[in-house]
Amino acid sequence: MTYPYQINNIDAYREAYQKSIEHPEKFWDEIASTFVWRKKWDKVLDWNFIEPHVKWFLGGKLNITENCLDRHLATLGDKPAIIWESNDPEEHHRVLTYRDLHMKVNQFAHVLKNNGVKKGDRVCIYMGMIPELTIAVLACARVGAIHSVIFGGFSSQAIADRLYDAQAEFIVTCDGAFRGNKDIPLKNVIDDALIGCRFVKRVIVATRTRTPVSMIKGRDVWWEDEIKKVETQGNPFYEPEVMDAEDELFILYTSGSTGKPKGVVHTTGGYMVWTNYTFVNVFQYQPGQIHFCTADIGWITGHSYIVYGPLSAGATVLMFEGVPTWPDAGRFWQIVEKYKVDILYTAPTAIRSLMGFGLDYVKPYDLSSLKVLGSVGEPINEEAWWWFYRNIGKENCPIVDTWWQTETGGIMISNMAGVTPHKPAHATLPLPGVNPVLVDEQGKVIEGNAVSGNLCISQPWPGMIRTTYGDHERCRTTYFSTYPQSYFTGDGCLRDEDGNYRITGRVDDVLNVSGHRIGTAEVENALNMHNGVVESAVVGYAHDIKGQGIYAYVVYDGSHEDENLTRQDIIQTVSRVIGPIAKPDKIQFVSGLPKTRSGKIMRRILRKIAEGDTGNLGDITTLLDPGIVQEIKNGALV
Ligand code: PRX
C-alpha cells in the first residue's frame, strides 16, 4: 500500500500547505476519499470558533476499525500489525498479524456486546502495555462504544473521578502490570476506585501477572473465560457498527489550569484522517517498516501513534511493555537491534535519562536499521537533541521534533523526516492544515519573523478537540475565549528568522513533568487534602531529567514532629489522590504564602525562588506581607 498523499519533497510540502490553508475543504476532501466509508459525507467542514462548533465530513458514515483492520486483510493479512516485546527480555515476544488482530478485535467486540456494551456507552480501560490493551481499544471502536483509557500510573481516586465524569458503566483491566522491577496491582486499584460506586455494571479482567485478585460475583469476569464463550459461538466476525463521522470515538482526560482534569473528546472521521495523514507524512513511513513508539497508550501519543495512525496506514508497530532503564539502560537499543526498528519515537525525558547512563549502554548494539528518530511531549533541549542525533541516529537519521497536544489529536508542527529540514530544539514548520498565529497578551497578532508570543491556531483541522465531555462551556472558556476566533494552545512560542517555530513551554499553570501534563491546581488540591496542610502553592522548576520538577510550598499547622516524615506523609497523600506521577520533588514548609491584597498568590515570586533566582524578584510592594518573601527565600530548597 502506498499513500497518494505522502509528501516527498519540500516543494510538494509548500504546495500542499498553501492548498490546505486556502482551500481546506478541497484539500481534505481528496485525502479523506482514500479511506473506507460506508457513506460519503455531504459537506467537508462546518465551523465557528465562537461556540465552538467544529464538524468535519458531515453526514459521512464509517467504522474506524474497518480502516485499521478489514481493509488491510487482502494485502497485509499475514504481515505483522503488532510486535509485542515483554517487560522481561527473557519472555518470548508476540506477533499479531493483521489477520490475528482483526480476529481478536472481532472476538472481543462480541465479548463487549455479550456483557451489555452498546453504541455510545463509555468503557474505561485501565491496563498495562499488552496487546489486549490495543484489542480492547479497537473493540470499543468496533461496537461504537466510547473508550476512556486511563494511564496505569493514576490512583484509584483519580480513576473514580474519571469514571464518574464519564458515567462509564464498563471497565476493562488486568490483574496487574509489569513495569521494570515493579508489579502494579491494577485490579486492586480498580477495586478501590469502585468502593461505593453503584453505576459500574461490569469489570472484564485480563490475565497478565496472575497476582491474586478479588472477583466480585455478578460484576467481575475474566477476559479469557469470555473469549472462550465467544469461541464456542463459532464465527467471530463482528459486523462493525456504522458510525457518523462526528460520533465520539474516545475521551482522554488531561490536566488544565483548574483542579479538575477534563475529558477531551475526539470524534471518528476527522481524527482518523488526521492521525493517518500526520503519521504517514511526519515519519515518512514506508510499507514494511517497523515503527517503535515508546509512549504508553494511556496518553494521546499512544492513541494516535501506536493505535490509530499506524494501523490505519497498515504499518507494523512495536509495542513495548517495559521501561527504558530495566533491566538496564540499554533496553531501547537492544530492542532496536532485535527487531531492526526503522522509526523510533520517544520523549526528551527518556533521552536525557539514558544520556546520564553513558554510551557504554549504547555501544554494544547495532542501530543501523534506524532511519527516523522522533521526539514528543516537551521541548527537547539542544544537548539531548545532539546526543540523540549523534549517538543513536549516527548522524544519518533526521529527528522529527513533533509539537502537539491531547487536544490537537495529532502532530501539528514538525519537520517531515528527510523532506523538510530539522533544526535542533525547533519543531520547525506547521503541517498542512495547521495555521499557527502568535499573539501578544492583548490578543494582537504578531506578524513577521524573529518574534515570540502565545501560540494560537486560527483555522480548524480534522483532528481537533470537539468538546470537553459533559461540559461544552468548559471547552469554550479554556481554549476559545482567551483570544477571539482562535484556539489557544497554552504554549509560548518563538518564530525564528526563517519562520521555524520553537515551543518554549506552557504559559499557564500547567506543568510538564517527564512529558506528562500536570495542573498545579490539581496538585494543590491533593496537598490540601492532607490533614495538617492549611494551604499550599505549587510551581515548576527546571529539572535535569524530568524537564520540570514539582516544587510545593506548604503551610503546615505546626503539629508535625519530624519534618521528613511529614513530607513523606504528604507525598503519600498526593500519590493516593492523583498517582505517583504527581508526587512533589520538593516540599518547603513556610509560615505563609506571598499574596496580593486581593488574596491572589504571586506565583511569579515562588517560581523564581524555586529556580534559585532570587536576585531580582520584581515588585513585591503590592504584597499583603512582603516580609514572608525573605522567610521563603531563606528556607529555599535549591
Ligand atoms: O507544552 C507542550 C508540550 O506538551 C503539551 C501537551 O501535552 P499533552 O497534551 O500531554 O500531549 C503530549 C504529547 C503530544 C504542549 O502544550 N509539548 C508537546 N510536544 C512538544 C511540546 N513542547 C515542545 N516541543 C514539543 N515537541
Side-chain angles (χ1 to χ4, degrees):
M1 181 183 174
T2 50
Y3 313 104
Y5 42 85
Q6 192 171 48
I7 292 168
N8 42 34
N9 63 65
I10 194 157
D11 291 334
Y13 160 72
R14 291 211 180 92
E15 199 183 305
Y17 186 77
Q18 198 180 355
K19 182 170 169 187
S20 75
I21 298 301
E22 287 170 7
H23 307 288
E25 300 198 18
K26 186 165 186 328
F27 183 82
W28 291 110
D29 186 276
E30 286 167 15
I31 292 165
S33 299
T34 65
F35 292 78
V36 175
W37 298 79
R38 290 295 183 100
K39 175 182 167 289
K40 194 174 160 135
W41 49 93
D42 308 311
K43 190 169 184 229
V44 176
L45 173 63
D46 196 27
W47 71 288
N48 72 64
F49 275 178
I50 298 166
E51 296 170 46
H53 161 92
V54 176
K55 294 200 186 305
W56 284 89
F57 312 115
L58 291 87
K61 305 281 179 195
L62 75 161
N63 186 290
I64 196 168
T65 68
E66 279 195 296
N67 285 277
C68 291
L69 300 170
D70 305 56
R71 73 159 161 163
H72 302 315
L73 291 180
T75 48
L76 300 170
D78 298 323
K79 293 273 185 304
I82 298 176
I83 299 173
W84 175 79
E85 171 72 12
S86 160
N87 180 59
D88 175 0
E90 304 292 318
E91 183 179 346
H92 205 271
H93 66 273
R94 287 170 65 185
V95 177
L96 274 72
T97 64
Y98 270 94
R99 204 177 311 287
D100 297 333
L101 185 60
H102 180 263
M103 194 265 287
K104 287 182 183 295
V105 169
N106 276 273
Q107 278 184 331
F108 198 65
H110 280 289
V111 168
L112 290 175
K113 185 176 173 213
N114 293 346
N115 281 280
V117 177
K118 299 179 305 302
K119 179 177 177 179
D121 286 344
R122 277 78 55 215
V123 178
C124 159
I125 302 178
Y126 185 68
M127 300 175 89
M129 282 287 283
I130 54 175
E132 283 67 24
L133 167 51
T134 308
I135 292 165
V137 163
L138 291 171
C140 284
R142 192 136 183 118
V143 306
I146 303 167
H147 56 79
S148 163
V149 184
I150 301 180
F151 174 62
F154 280 110
S155 71
S156 47
Q157 180 62 53
I159 296 168
D161 292 345
R162 287 158 175 75
L163 283 172
Y164 187 80
D165 188 77
Q167 289 291 303
E169 293 174 336
F170 305 92
I171 298 177
V172 185
T173 188
C174 302
D175 47 1
F178 294 119
R179 275 178 72 77
N181 57 6
K182 294 203 193 87
D183 167 351
I184 301 153
L186 298 182
K187 174 65 165 64
N188 284 352
V189 181
I190 289 288
D191 287 338
D192 287 348
L194 293 185
I195 293 172
C197 169
R198 295 184 184 281
F199 56 83
V200 169
K201 294 182 182 152
R202 188 72 81 232
V203 182
I204 303 174
V205 187
T207 309
R208 173 60 184 137
T209 55
R210 205 48 200 104
T211 174
V213 293
S214 80
M215 294 292 283
I216 304 292
K217 192 181 290 165
R219 189 193 73 185
D220 301 352
V221 295
W222 288 107
W223 173 297
E224 294 77 10
D225 293 347
E226 295 302 296
I227 293 286
K228 276 197 204 104
K229 286 187 206 158
V230 172
E231 279 168 349
T232 59
Q233 289 166 5
N235 180 10
F237 183 78
Y238 190 99
E239 183 61 34
E241 189 72 36
V242 176
M243 307 297 284
D244 190 272
E246 283 297 337
D247 275 341
E248 291 166 349
L249 176 63
F250 67 86
I251 307 171
L252 188 56
Y253 285 86
T254 189
S255 298
S257 39
T258 61
K260 196 170 150 257
K262 43 189 179 287
V264 171
V265 172
H266 285 289
T267 56
T268 309
Y271 176 80
M272 170 183 76
V273 171
W274 187 243
T275 52
N276 177 291
Y277 181 81
T278 52
F279 171 73
V280 161
N281 280 300
V282 170
F283 300 102
Q284 288 291 304
Y285 185 80
Q286 305 299 321
Q289 287 187 334
I290 296 181
H291 172 75
F292 178 17
C293 169
T294 69
D296 191 290
I297 294 178
W299 307 109
I300 191 70
T301 306
H303 281 62
S304 300
Y305 299 107
I306 296 179
V307 184
Y308 290 110
L311 296 179
S312 67
T316 297
V317 291
L318 199 144
M319 185 175 174
F320 175 42
E321 183 184 36
V323 296
T325 49
W326 193 84
D328 67 44
R331 190 69 167 118
F332 275 2
W333 323 127
Q334 183 231 340
I335 294 174
V336 168
E337 178 182 272
K338 179 171 173 189
Y339 298 102
K340 299 197 170 33
V341 167
D342 297 271
I343 304 169
L344 174 67
Y345 189 30
T346 191
T349 187
I351 299 168
R352 286 192 299 265
S353 129
L354 296 175
M355 252 168 85
F357 286 90
L359 290 176
D360 286 348
Y361 289 96
V362 181
K363 282 186 186 138
Y365 301 105
D366 176 5
L367 306 181
S368 61
S369 60
L370 286 171
K371 301 189 182 59
V372 175
L373 302 176
S375 167
V376 60
E378 51 175 317
I380 178 164
N381 49 311
E382 293 209 19
E383 196 192 353
W385 195 99
W386 283 107
W387 187 88
F388 202 29
Y389 184 65
R390 292 198 177 111
N391 300 301
I392 307 306
K394 316 291 182 196
E395 305 192 14
N396 283 322
C397 303
I399 298 181
V400 290
D401 179 354
T402 63
W403 173 81
W404 58 296
Q405 310 178 297
T406 305
E407 294 85 347
T408 70
I411 300 167
M412 300 288 280
I413 303 182
S414 172
N415 51 310
M416 294 181 183
V419 171
T420 60
H422 60 205
K423 179 172 178 181
H426 286 69
T428 74
L429 300 172
L431 296 188
V434 177
N435 198 352
V437 287
L438 299 185
V439 296
D440 66 16
E441 293 295 334
Q442 283 69 47
K444 204 167 128 313
V445 173
I446 303 166
E447 308 277 359
N449 288 344
V451 290
S452 67
N454 290 343
L455 178 62
C456 294
I457 313 288
S458 68
Q459 264 175 253
W461 62 99
M464 75 182 293
I465 181 175
R466 298 300 195 269
T467 188
T468 43
Y469 193 79
D471 191 352
H472 193 63
E473 177 59 10
R474 187 155 179 221
C475 175
R476 189 188 71 76
T477 50
T478 312
Y479 306 106
F480 297 90
S481 70
T482 318
Y483 301 108
Q485 304 292 345
S486 267
Y487 165 82
F488 176 44
T489 65
D491 279 318
C493 184
L494 306 172
R495 185 165 54 219
D496 75 6
E497 50 293 346
D498 303 315
N500 288 307
Y501 289 85
R502 175 179 191 153
I503 312 300
T504 48
R506 302 288 303 195
V507 292
D508 51 10
D509 287 326
V510 172
L511 306 180
N512 192 326
V513 180
S514 301
H516 300 151
R517 243 162 96 167
I518 297 172
T520 51
E522 213 180 321
V523 184
E524 287 162 8
N525 284 350
L527 288 164
N528 297 350
M529 283 174 78
H530 182 80
N531 67 5
V533 173
V534 179
E535 209 183 359
S536 63
V538 164
V539 297
Y541 69 97
H543 187 288
D544 284 349
I545 296 195
K546 297 179 176 183
Q548 272 190 311
I550 302 180
Y551 194 120
Y553 297 90
V554 169
V555 180
Y556 201 73
D557 70 3
S559 61
H560 60 81
E561 279 160 25
D562 179 327
E563 273 207 1
N564 267 333
L565 207 54
T566 308
R567 276 200 186 89
Q568 303 289 332
D569 289 348
I570 294 176
I571 287 174
Q572 192 62 25
T573 309
V574 175
S575 222
R576 280 268 169 214
V577 177
I578 307 176
I581 54 171
K583 286 198 268 197
D585 298 275
K586 295 181 181 177
I587 296 179
Q588 180 182 349
F589 293 115
V590 294
S591 66
L593 296 169
K595 286 188 187 168
T596 60
R597 289 195 180 86
S598 59
K600 199 169 170 300
I601 297 172
M602 295 275 272
R603 288 168 188 284
R604 175 176 57 78
I605 293 173
L606 295 175
R607 267 195 289 269
K608 285 203 161 193
I609 295 176
E611 295 278 6
D613 172 18
T614 51
N616 177 15
L617 292 177
D619 182 15
I620 59 168
T621 54
T622 57
L623 289 180
L624 193 59
D625 171 17
I628 197 71
V629 174
Q630 194 56 43
E631 181 212 298
I632 297 177
K633 260 163 70 172
N634 292 345
L637 306 168
V638 286

